[in-house]
Amino acid sequence: MTLTYILSFEILLAGLAYYDWRYRLIKNKVILPSFLFAIFYRLIFQDHPWADSIAGLLVAGGIFFMLGVLGQAGGGDMKLMALVGFILGLS
């Protein structure tokens, strides 16, 4: 991953963490463009296999989905962790 991508990802996560802490809400208008950016980045720079990104999305999103079923996480948290899983992958 390039330094620019890592820094933009960290800034996005810090902003989302603050907004979630303050308002207990993560808006789709932030998460969905972030997913599109991550997919676009993956199309251009193939630094790890697609299967790794998809597996990370499913594992991280799945864990938070189970927490959501138990009432411990909201929909925004599930989508955010799925995004993190997609970006970082499993390895």
Side-chain angles (χ1 to χ4, degrees):
M1 286 188 214
T2 64
L3 182 61
T4 305
Y5 182 67
I6 292 170
L7 288 176
S8 62
F9 179 59
E10 288 177 356
I11 290 168
L12 172 72
L13 283 180
L16 283 173
Y18 172 76
Y19 194 85
D20 187 30
W21 171 75
R22 178 97 165 110
Y23 301 105
R24 301 200 40 91
L25 179 70
I26 299 175
K27 295 189 176 206
N28 286 338
K29 66 182 179 181
V30 176
I31 295 290
L32 297 178
S34 301
F35 259 115
L36 293 176
F37 176 74
I39 291 170
F40 179 72
Y41 177 86
R42 291 283 295 122
L43 288 171
I44 293 175
F45 303 103
Q46 304 222 355
D47 48 356
H48 57 273
W50 276 94
D52 196 37
S53 289
I54 299 299
L57 179 143
L58 292 174
V59 168
I63 290 170
F64 271 75
F65 177 76
M66 287 186 267
L67 288 173
V69 169
L70 297 172
Q72 301 299 313
D77 298 321
M78 292 179 226
K79 290 178 271 192
L80 177 62
M81 292 316 296
L83 172 65
V84 170
F86 180 79
I87 290 172
L88 297 178
L90 281 181
S91 52

